Amino acid sequence: MPTHKKNSPRWFGPLVLIAALLAALYIVVVVHAAGQTLLAATLLFITALAAWLYTSPRFYAWRYLFPGIAAAMVFVVFPMLYTIGIGFTNYSSANLLSFERATQYHLDETAAAEGDPLAFTLHADGPEFRVRLSDPDDDAKAWVSGPLALKNNAPLKLEVEPAQQVKLPLGEPLPLRDVIQRQAALKALTFELPGGRQVVMTGLRQFSGLEKVYEQREPGVLVHKRTGELLKANHQTGFYEKANGERVTPGFQVGVGFDNYRRIFTEPAFREPFLRIFVWTVAFAALTVLFAASLGMLLAVLLNWDALRFKGVYRVLLFLPYAVPGFISILVFRGLFNNNFGEINLILDALFGIRPTWFSDPTLAKAMLLIVNVWLGYPYMMLVCMGLIRAIPADLYEASAVAGAGPLTNFFRITAPLVIKPLTPLLIAAFAFNFNNFVLISLLTGGRPDFLDTTVPAGTTDLLVSYTYRIAFEDSGQQFGLAAAVSTVIFLMVAAISMVQIKFTRIARDPAR
């Protein structure tokens, strides 16, 4: 019986491609309209690249690689470029806005206008409400609004009429809790009195006039409407400044070149904690790899001992630290090392009469970090070493036994040399991972105890990555630009480590070297 293979129409593929490109262009426009110019440019570049690859027969093979390349550009390259770009700006909590938005903020700033405030009461009018405004010194001067639903918080400008012209009698004023419930809708209202005076809600029982504080004289120059004082935009500092140099917040973002990098390496406030934390970061990563690899290899050798019984039980028990999620183990250890109630101090107190202050003594805090991190890392090293040891030919050990060699000779002459070489790239990768081990520091010590001689938030157990986090999100100034510069420096360090890793990997794969 003949079979009929149904193929898609030839126009189906181009139609899908055109629809996808149009959707991508729409997303680019939306992202650009939201003010994310760099991300919009990245998406536009990816869209153009996709159109080129999927319409040119020369790059047919690249069509299958493109989704991965596009994902890498969006989720790896773009954040990296964005972080590097921020490192060249003064982006911080005080310089959060663009120049245009900071200018508009000052132009929108209002202050109470001259004139006495008006007393305000809210009255029910069926399912709606009416607002009554009155002169506190002369209740005969009163004005009443029309019926209001007070369900919308959108700004609304309304006229009020003299109370004598309102024929419907108003009921009793509603209690304060009803006013509070509708406060958001009331604050969105602007009432214009018959004389042209405009008032807004400035308190739960009063309305008063507001006026703009500044007006723009020319681009970058604002003038105070009452005092005539000038504010001039300083594009070096990122602030509007008065004539005496006083800065007026909020500031705006400006490029500062390499100033953030200069501060890291030249200003004592940043240089001293940076260097101390850098040394501890390198020591922490190196010691963690050394101890975890040594312990993992030792256990792997012991578990490969032929005379050892119940190997499976030991393997399961030693693998358990790796099976438990890391953040849970870290929090458990945080409780175990508690200075007052932790089980570790209770045991040490019972045996030796000592209660170490793990979280307040810098040396003990660092030792605690190493203990916990080695506990978390040795099972993986053990598993890798077990696999590598099993790959060593048994003939070598038999020949060594014939020559009268002992276990130590077998380890240092046969096992270690054959295991270290393929293990080296993994050790370098583990070093790079622990170089940025933010989770351990954040959950166990939070970087504390802090240095007492620094003006920036920095702790004796901080790694560079947690130090960057504290500059960006815990410092009172929240210096995002400086934190981005530190992140860039860390990225360069990790990139250098990765290059070394790649070099060692090539060496390990080249049997001739």
Side-chain angles (χ1 to χ4, degrees), residues 229-248:
E229 186 178 32
L230 294 180
L231 294 183
K232 293 185 178 179
N234 187 333
H235 291 276
Q236 299 295 324
T237 62
F239 286 95
Y240 274 96
E241 296 179 349
K242 298 180 180 178
N244 60 2
E246 180 183 353
R247 296 175 177 179
V248 180

Side-chain angles (χ1 to χ4, degrees), residues 5 28 30 85 90 103 117 137 161 170 201 243 337 352 426 437 450 471 489:
K5 185 177 180 180
V28 169
V30 171
N90 65 341
T103 302
D137 299 327
E161 55 183 332
L170 297 177
M201 185 179 184
F337 278 102
F352 308 106
L426 179 63
N437 198 340
D450 284 341
I471 289 177
V489 173

